Amino acid sequence: MKKRKIELAVISDVHLGTYGCHADELIAYLNSIQPKKLILNGDIIDIWQFSKRYFPPSHLKVLRKVIGMASKGTEVYYITGNHDEMLRKFSDTSMGNFKIMNKLVLNLDGKKAWIFHGDVFDVSIQNAKWLAKLGGYGYDLLILINSFVNWWLVRLGREKYSLSKRIKNSVKGAVKYINNFEKTAADLAIENDYDYVICGHIHQPKKEHYENKYGSCTYLNSGDWVENLTALEYSFKRWRIYHYNHDRLSPFFVDEDLKEMDMNELIASITDKEVDMEEINQEDFFIENPLEDEPTNEPNKKGLDNQGFTQD
């Protein structure tokens, strides 16, 4: 399968070394993209809950894949989080295209992006780390129980259910904490003249425009690879949230925002070639329906549905 070429991909909260980590799905995602920059925004390796008894081959493959991407030219930035805070002693270490740091500021098409994990806003981590670690073990146990419940639900032909999401959405304290986290990050970004603030930590993928009396910014959260299986992607001067369970192999240019883009620019960005649209035969935009012997006359978008791609 041809890889999608994008400017920047951000993933966080993978929690390698825990039972809740969806390493196979993450490998499938990383195999589907070819980013110029890959940002690992904290909690990639869960050192808090690391155990010699549990670190399966698929988790090791994720590390090998990331290193392989760096060796092939992708700039990889490993931003430390609270679960991999032991790596903070190696901050500002650079090994070829692989860099370890505590925060990162990027210039994206003339706009400043402020990227950090976000645990600095977590009072429990700053003042009672033992309580935060205990909560981490409880969360991992909840995810393990949830996996067992979902296994039975699938066998019974029912949809999967997220216990952790249910708890987060129903507990007022959790909802308030998340709202305060997002507002604090956005207000600080505006105060420091950043156009984008990008976090992880709270396992809540989000893209939202914030404004106050001092200015505005876009708050983004990459989510996680435990519950939501999400990432942030930046290309064509736009941000989007990638959902593995919905998008899977769907190409970046399916976005509604990109439909009005110049087709020459779009194809050139993906293939690195200039294309004359007049030379492209109209039949190139039709594909064969895999469910029928005769080729379909429906446009490519409908054909994508037959292949399991989603529509925006």
Side-chain angles (χ1 to χ4, degrees):
M1 183 190 68
K2 189 172 183 178
K3 296 177 184 282
R4 294 183 293 114
K5 294 184 178 181
I6 56 179
E7 291 290 324
L8 177 66
V10 183
I11 62 173
S12 67
D13 299 274
V14 178
H15 293 277
L16 294 172
T18 66
Y19 293 104
C21 172
H22 286 76
D24 290 326
E25 289 84 349
L26 178 56
I27 292 171
Y29 170 65
L30 293 176
N31 283 335
S32 72
I33 60 172
Q34 186 177 334
K36 293 181 180 178
K37 292 182 176 66
L38 174 64
I39 297 176
L40 311 176
N41 198 9
D43 289 359
I44 305 302
I45 303 173
D46 198 322
I47 298 177
W48 276 11
Q49 296 165 250
F50 182 81
S51 171
K52 293 180 180 179
R53 297 188 300 273
Y54 187 79
F55 203 86
S58 60
H59 292 210
L60 187 59
K61 285 180 182 178
V62 171
L63 299 177
R64 293 177 60 186
K65 177 62 182 178
V66 169
I67 294 172
M69 293 173 74
S71 67
K72 293 179 180 179
T74 298
E75 295 180 53
V76 178
Y77 298 90
Y78 193 123
I79 299 175
T80 54
N82 51 300
H83 283 257
D84 46 20
E85 63 181 353
M86 289 181 64
L87 297 177
R88 284 177 175 163
K89 65 179 71 175
F90 303 106
S91 181
D92 299 324
T93 298
S94 178
M95 296 170 285
N97 286 327
F98 188 90
K99 302 174 181 65
I100 300 176
M101 52 191 57
N102 296 330
K103 61 182 178 179
L104 175 65
V105 175
L106 290 177
N107 187 306
L108 300 175
D109 297 304
K111 294 185 176 182
K112 290 195 299 181
W114 183 29
I115 309 169
F116 59 99
H117 182 63
D119 57 295
V120 65
F121 299 141
D122 198 326
V123 177
S124 64
I125 292 175
Q126 304 302 322
N127 300 328
K129 188 173 293 185
W130 67 269
L131 185 61
K133 289 185 177 182
L134 183 61
Y137 284 109
Y139 177 76
D140 199 36
L141 178 60
L142 180 62
I143 293 297
L144 186 60
I145 295 172
N146 202 167
S147 299
F148 179 74
V149 171
N150 283 334
W151 182 80
W152 275 107
L153 289 175
V154 171
R155 288 178 64 88
L156 295 172
R158 301 176 63 179
E159 292 185 1
K160 292 182 178 181
Y161 185 80
S162 176
L163 293 172
S164 56
K165 284 185 180 180
R166 176 69 177 179
I167 292 172
K168 286 179 182 178
N169 294 333
S170 61
V171 178
K172 291 183 179 180
V175 174
K176 182 179 179 181
Y177 166 74
I178 291 171
N179 290 336
N180 288 342
F181 178 96
E182 296 169 350
K183 185 178 184 304
T184 301
D187 286 343
L188 283 173
I190 293 171
E191 182 180 337
N192 290 279
D193 296 321
Y194 291 111
D195 300 286
Y196 307 117
V197 56
I198 303 164
C199 302
H201 187 58
I202 57 175
H203 294 206
Q204 292 288 312
K206 194 169 187 179
K207 173 187 173 184
E208 186 167 333
H209 185 74
Y210 273 86
E211 291 185 7
N212 61 25
K213 61 181 180 180
Y214 301 108
S216 64
C217 77
T218 299
Y219 166 84
L220 298 130
N221 196 297
S222 47
D224 66 285
W225 287 84
V226 177
E227 301 173 62
N228 298 291
L229 280 61
T230 53
L232 293 172
E233 295 182 350
Y234 179 82
S235 202
F236 311 115
K237 300 181 181 181
R238 293 170 174 84
W239 284 100
R240 77 183 287 256
I241 299 175
Y242 173 92
H243 292 265
Y244 178 85
N245 290 327
H246 300 148
D247 298 336
R248 301 226 171 179
L249 303 179
S250 76
F252 183 88
F253 52 86
V254 171
D255 277 7
E256 290 287 339
D257 293 340
L258 302 178
K259 288 183 178 179
E260 297 181 0
M261 286 189 63
D262 178 71
M263 188 59 70
N264 283 306
E265 178 185 353
L266 183 59
I267 296 177
S269 298
I270 297 170
T271 63
D272 292 331
K273 296 180 181 179
E274 293 294 334
V275 179
D276 186 354
M277 292 303 296
E278 295 182 357
E279 295 180 358
I280 298 181
N281 192 300
Q282 187 177 3
E283 294 180 358
D284 291 338
F285 289 91
F286 296 82
I287 66 171
E288 187 173 309
N289 189 335
L291 302 179
E292 301 176 2
D293 293 330
E294 296 298 327
T296 179
N297 288 325
E298 294 296 322
N300 189 35
K301 187 175 180 181
K302 187 170 182 179
L304 288 176
D305 287 336
N306 292 333
Q307 297 182 41
F309 293 165
T310 60
Q311 300 183 41
D312 280 5

